[in-house]
Amino acid sequence: MKQGNPQQQHENMFFSLVTAALKGISQVILIENAISGLLILIALLISSIPVGIIAFLSALIAVCMGRFGGADKTLVNQGLLAYNSVLTGIVLALNFTGGQRWVIALAGAAITTLLTAAMMHWMRNSGTPIFTFPFIIVSWFLLLASYRLGTFQLHPGLVPQDLSQWRLHQGGTVDWINGLVDGVGQVFLQDSMWSGILILAGVFWASRKLGFYAIIGSAAAWLAAYGLGGETALLNAGLYEYNAVLTILAVGAIFDAKSRWAPVSGLVAAIVSVPMTASFDSWLLPYGLPALTMPFVVCSWVFIAARKVIPKL
């Protein structure tokens, strides 16, 4: 059999790695599509060039670790080893300062790849997706390490607060359009309107159905948070909505969503993620940690596991 020339092989390898990295970016929002990943990457670059570069390099690191480490090729090519690393790179880049933040962000992405692989092995028999749990754990651990290790220079915005001194601020002008769009953009920690629109376009590119689900999830969470008296600033920034977007996609459309009632249970799960987000925010306030996507993970695990006992859920 004729072998291609070395230059062509290298070009094919490079294209394969880049494609898998872009799919890793799209897998953050539960989609396997390189074009969607490219649109999301452009959205990140529009918001912040350094963050966009770190996101892509984080995905590439995970893909290379999987490819050259002998992981299953399908797993690597689908971007399933990379999406947690992408989020870790973004969070660490945004929440650390100083000249070492690039190194910390990319090292965190590599560590997250290992934890992702380990959790895939541990949870294989249960049939439960790991979702973004590895990203959450690594990010929380590294953010907390900043209180003991001088190299980790934490962003001043992450300040531990006494919960007894917390005051709810409900004033301000409601901007529901910005809140709905940012509800999608905040999946990637983006609060720019244009970034949110591009990320939503990436979802629609892969699937119109998932695109509409994302909008419904964001709208349902916005209404729930508003009805429950959530802070206007958080509503406008999409911080009550992004977990709901991921939850409705996971529960209502993607994982074991064969029942005709799956869209309804997905919507319910998305609404439940709102008080859960508020709860996690309060729980983590004394540590100065963000809730990240933990409400999405917990809600999705509960509803998907419940389906194994109540299959029509």
Side-chain angles (χ1 to χ4, degrees):
M1 182 181 290
K2 256 188 173 181
Q3 298 292 327
N5 61 62
Q7 183 179 351
Q8 186 179 9
Q9 289 178 3
H10 290 151
E11 288 175 356
N12 291 341
M13 173 65 76
F14 176 77
F15 180 77
S16 175
L17 293 174
V18 169
T19 301
L22 291 175
K23 286 183 179 180
I25 294 173
S26 72
Q27 285 283 8
V28 169
I29 202 158
L30 306 170
I31 289 168
E32 182 195 340
N33 190 290
I35 301 298
S36 296
L38 180 60
L39 288 172
I40 294 167
L41 179 59
I42 293 170
L44 296 175
L45 290 167
I46 287 174
S47 180
S48 168
I49 290 176
V51 169
I53 293 172
I54 286 175
F56 179 72
L57 291 179
S58 297
L60 199 58
I61 286 170
V63 167
C64 289
M65 287 176 67
R67 178 69 61 85
F68 300 115
D72 180 81
K73 285 186 178 180
T74 301
L75 196 71
V76 176
N77 292 338
Q78 289 177 336
L80 291 173
L81 272 179
Y83 69 94
N84 274 291
S85 299
V86 170
L87 285 173
T88 301
I90 293 173
V91 164
L92 298 183
L94 290 173
N95 289 293
F96 282 121
T97 61
Q100 302 297 320
R101 73 171 182 150
W102 279 66
V103 176
I104 294 170
L106 296 178
I111 294 167
T112 302
T113 306
L114 297 177
L115 183 56
T116 299
M119 288 200 65
M120 283 179 172
H121 173 70
W122 294 334
M123 298 180 69
R124 183 179 299 166
N125 293 334
S126 71
T128 304
I130 65 169
F131 292 128
T132 53
F133 191 73
F135 139 68
I136 297 164
I137 295 301
V138 173
S139 297
W140 280 352
F141 269 76
L142 290 178
L143 291 173
L144 286 173
S146 65
Y147 293 99
R148 298 284 181 170
L149 302 171
T151 300
F152 297 83
Q153 298 177 35
L154 194 63
H155 192 281
L158 288 182
V159 180
Q161 299 181 55
D162 186 348
L163 190 56
S164 65
Q165 302 300 317
W166 175 256
R167 294 292 179 269
L168 189 64
H169 302 287
Q170 295 176 294
T173 304
V174 173
D175 185 353
W176 64 271
I177 294 178
N178 196 72
L180 292 180
V181 174
D182 280 357
V184 180
Q186 285 287 2
V187 172
F188 293 86
L189 287 86
Q190 302 303 304
D191 59 2
S192 159
M193 173 70 79
W194 288 110
S195 294
I197 289 171
L198 267 177
I199 291 168
L200 186 58
V203 180
F204 269 100
W205 177 273
S207 168
R208 280 184 295 176
K209 176 184 174 181
L210 295 183
F212 284 119
Y213 268 69
I215 292 173
I216 292 168
S218 185
W222 191 97
L223 290 170
Y226 182 79
L228 291 170
E231 287 195 30
T232 302
L234 299 183
L235 282 167
N236 293 344
L239 293 175
Y240 275 119
E241 294 94 279
Y242 71 96
N243 276 293
V245 169
L246 291 172
T247 303
I248 196 171
L249 291 176
V251 177
I254 296 175
F255 293 97
D256 297 329
K258 298 171 185 175
S259 167
R260 64 176 179 172
W261 296 105
V264 177
S265 60
L267 182 61
V268 172
I271 293 170
V272 169
S273 75
V274 172
M276 189 166 288
T277 297
S279 179
F280 270 105
D281 282 338
S282 298
W283 175 49
L284 296 168
L285 196 66
Y287 302 98
L289 292 175
L292 302 177
T293 53
M294 196 61 173
F296 148 65
V297 171
V298 173
C299 282
S300 298
W301 274 350
V302 168
F303 276 79
I304 291 170
R307 278 184 181 154
K308 298 183 184 304
V309 178
I310 312 173
K312 292 185 179 181
L313 186 65

